[in-house]
Amino acid sequence: MLDNELHQNGGVQVMNKPSSSLNHPLSSEMCSSASLSVPSTPKDGVVVKVSHVGACYSEGQMRRKRIRPRFPGVEVAGTIYDVSNSLPNSNFCVGDKVILFPDEDLANSGYVEYIAIDDTCKVLQVPQNISLEVAAMLPGGALSAYAAVLGAKPHVEKLQQVKSCVNVLVVGGGGLGLWTIRLAQLLLGNLCNSVRLFVADNSIDKLLTAQDHGCYDIVHWNEEDHEQYIVERTLDACRGGVDVIIDYVSSPRTMNRSLKVLNREGLIMVGGNSMKEVSISLNALAAKQQSIVGIPKGNMNQLRDLVNFVSEGKLSPPCYAVFPIEDVNQVFDDLCECRITGRAIFRLGNSATVTDNQ
């Protein structure tokens, strides 16, 4: 997972506390090293010079507050450094902006500034009008959210034939939730009239950020409140229950809570990795004609769609901040404590300032 969802509340982007939550911290000397070797260019492949990477980690470890950063992760953007002379019909040129399709084997390979890619089908060129910091977010959070919205869309359209308004609840107000708001606005039409999109989270700061991004309403799932009170609050906010739930946490608590607010013929899409089993009554599901499905993994064609949407101005990225890679330990610590809302992107190479798009 890419997001720290449903965690304790805290200030936003406060970076004055020493790192203490990292399971395997990364040394600043390693991150700033200029002596990392450039790999040989594979036959029929390319070498990519990494420019930006998203802050990626395991959701299970995040929820135990022992983060193990994933490097380079599944959100990698950079430029073509070298192209194999034997690559047939190559459209790649040195200096081209590119992003990499998510590769789990590569994601945990460690800190690198140059990546050798054997299969160029996993490399996607990026138009010049898209910055590399934005491009880096597309293969991870944006692609996961796109797959979720595409998966929910047929069910929403089916319900629209018999209901004047369809309620959609997104569980998790971090980067995935913000991308879901943006993509729902693009793909599901008018979110105020025919589709109402709600966001639930434990963090007030994340909920306020989600509200700023245009969701219909927010629901505070304060884990210190009584469970029935949270359910009643959700039903009251959603005015009669929820038709589609996209759960980016999928823990036992969020799943049981979601089932209590889900309408008849409702759909739950699960995409979390809580590392815990959930007990569900199949009889109850059948009686209410409800469905639970996993969020499908995005594909290269969908990633191309996202690049085109952004390039054409149809899709804007959610709020994000760019940090120098030397600040990696502090940033992950702030993510763990919910002091950063939106997305965190690392910039490799010379960088001395923190920037954001707000």
Side-chain angles (χ1 to χ4, degrees), residues 10 52 60 113 136 146 162 164 171 181 231 233 241 245 252 266 270 287 307 326-327 339 342 345:
H52 293 78
E113 291 186 5
Y146 187 36
V162 295
S164 60
V171 180
I181 295 173
V231 170
R233 176 191 296 154
I245 298 176
V270 295
V307 170
E326 291 81 6
D327 291 346
R339 291 192 292 266
I345 307 297

Side-chain angles (χ1 to χ4, degrees), residues 155-164 166 188 194-195:
H155 196 76
V156 171
E157 292 175 341
K158 175 184 175 182
L159 292 176
Q160 284 177 318
Q161 297 177 7
V162 295
K163 302 187 67 172
S164 60
V166 178
L188 300 182
S194 61
V195 179

Side-chain angles (χ1 to χ4, degrees), residues 325-346:
I325 192 65
E326 291 81 6
D327 291 346
V328 57
N329 288 334
Q330 182 64 67
V331 170
F332 274 111
D333 196 62
D334 288 341
L335 284 169
C336 184
E337 298 299 330
C338 281
R339 291 192 292 266
I340 295 177
T341 61
R343 289 304 320 280
I345 307 297
F346 295 115

Side-chain angles (χ1 to χ4, degrees), residues 152 154-156 158-163 166-167 242-245 259 261-268 284-292:
H155 196 76
V156 171
K158 175 184 175 182
L159 292 176
Q160 284 177 318
Q161 297 177 7
V162 295
K163 302 187 67 172
V166 178
N167 288 339
V242 183
D243 301 299
V244 177
I245 298 176
L259 286 169
V261 301
L262 188 66
N263 286 332
R264 184 179 180 84
E265 298 185 15
L267 169 69
I268 298 179
L285 281 180
K288 297 180 180 179
Q289 299 179 19
Q290 297 169 331
S291 303
I292 300 177

